[in-house]
Amino acid sequence: MPLSLTNKNVIFVAGLGGIGLDTSKELLKRDLKNLVILDRINNPAVITELQKINPKVTVTFIPYDVTVPIAETKKLLKTIFDKLKTVDILINGAGILDDHKIEATIAVNYTGLVNTTTAILDFWDIRKGGPGGIICNIGSVTGFNAIYQVPVYSGTKAAVVNFTSSLAKLAPITGVTAYTVNPGITRTTLVHKFNSWLDVEPKVAEKLLEHPTQTTQECATSFVKAIELNKNGGLWFLDKGTLEDIEWTKHWDSGI
């Protein structure tokens, strides 16, 4: 069901990154009520710049590392819910690309996303008297079309796609809907220099950038369109200014 972002409260994990920052700017044009940015590194100048885009929206920055224990995440979210009373959307956007750092890649790209999602269910789950909510997880084209030279990164993004698909199917139970936005190759600092697994391709970054790319602004525009379309279970592919809801695999009924 299409969603108006006017007067909505949004938590954006990693809302100051390459794609994240431009998406935050696009969100502010929609007259949110609150945009709460959770990120590792504070950048007061950027927060001030964001606030100037739309003074009607309250922009708040809170330091957050997605690799902290889930109990810490729940405490942080409680302070946000206590202040705002309601949160409408959680965007999980933290990610790293470096297949030399196997544990960190899994911890940030997948475990951190799962933990943040699990933590917010304490406040949203209708079985606990919550109001429900919307989760937007940032995946990647590699989640369904792997860059085989970075199998760890690609594997984490495939895990995000599967986790989010499961969340969407659980919506009748939890009241929480979910979808992924999956950017194609986007010109961010992430892709200009990174390491392949076991150095199987020393020039993986250069070879990747030989393919057609999109700007962070093009990606951000499609990103916010996907949020407004608000399709539970959507697998959105954002590439070169286009937005497409794709079918990854045939659905299999487990019979459970």
Side-chain angles (χ1 to χ4, degrees), residues 52 211 235:
K52 288 178 179 178
H211 295 275
L235 182 63

Side-chain angles (χ1 to χ4, degrees), residues 2-230:
L3 174 74
S4 170
L5 290 169
T6 302
N7 288 323
K8 294 295 189 292
N9 291 332
V10 177
I11 296 176
F12 195 162
V13 179
L16 297 181
I19 293 172
L21 180 56
D22 276 338
T23 303
S24 291
K25 292 176 180 178
E26 285 296 310
L27 285 168
L28 289 170
K29 297 175 185 177
R30 266 57 173 192
D31 289 338
L32 306 177
K33 186 174 184 181
N34 285 278
L35 176 61
V36 181
I37 295 174
L38 308 183
D39 217 320
R40 286 190 311 110
I41 300 172
N42 190 8
N43 190 330
V46 172
I47 297 299
T48 300
E49 175 192 348
L50 289 173
Q51 187 66 77
K52 288 178 179 178
I53 291 173
N54 190 343
K56 292 187 293 184
V57 184
T58 300
V59 180
T60 305
F61 172 83
I62 302 174
Y64 179 56
D65 180 344
V66 297
T67 65
V68 299
I70 193 169
E72 289 189 33
T73 300
K74 289 181 179 180
K75 288 179 183 178
L76 173 60
L77 289 174
K78 186 177 186 305
T79 65
I80 297 172
F81 275 82
D82 285 347
K83 181 179 179 181
L84 303 184
K85 306 307 177 189
T86 61
V87 174
D88 301 288
I89 304 170
L90 167 66
I91 303 172
N92 282 310
I96 62 172
L97 172 54
D98 186 345
D99 263 29
H100 282 183
K101 299 178 179 177
I102 295 173
E103 292 85 358
T105 297
I106 296 169
V108 173
N109 295 6
Y110 184 60
T111 308
L113 178 146
V114 171
N115 285 348
T116 306
T117 300
T118 303
I120 206 167
L121 263 289
D122 261 16
F123 306 89
W124 274 352
D125 194 331
I126 58 176
R127 295 172 298 169
K128 298 181 178 181
I134 301 167
I135 292 175
C136 170
N137 287 331
I138 301 181
S140 164
V141 63
T142 62
F144 44 87
N145 187 12
I147 299 174
Y148 61 87
Q149 299 94 336
V150 284
V152 180
Y153 175 83
S154 298
T156 62
K157 293 303 183 177
V160 168
V161 167
N162 277 290
F163 176 67
T164 309
S165 175
S166 297
L167 291 178
K169 292 181 175 67
L170 291 170
I173 298 172
T174 64
V176 177
T177 59
Y179 51 86
T180 55
V181 292
N182 302 278
I185 304 169
T186 308
R187 294 195 294 278
T188 68
T189 54
L190 208 66
V191 300
H192 284 291
K193 182 175 176 58
F194 60 93
N195 295 304
S196 63
W197 180 66
L198 299 179
D199 294 320
V200 291
E201 177 46 77
K203 295 184 178 180
V204 62
E206 293 93 325
K207 291 193 172 185
L208 181 68
L209 291 172
E210 290 173 359
H211 295 275
T213 61
Q214 66 182 343
T215 65
T216 53
Q217 181 56 56
E218 286 176 313
C219 185
T221 300
S222 297
F223 194 141
V224 175
K225 286 179 182 176
I227 293 174
E228 291 173 324
L229 287 168
N230 191 36

Side-chain angles (χ1 to χ4, degrees), residues 162 165-166 169 247-256:
N162 277 290
S165 175
S166 297
K169 292 181 175 67
E247 290 289 335
W248 182 30
T249 61
K250 292 182 179 179
H251 294 294
W252 174 67
D253 186 352
S254 65
I256 297 174

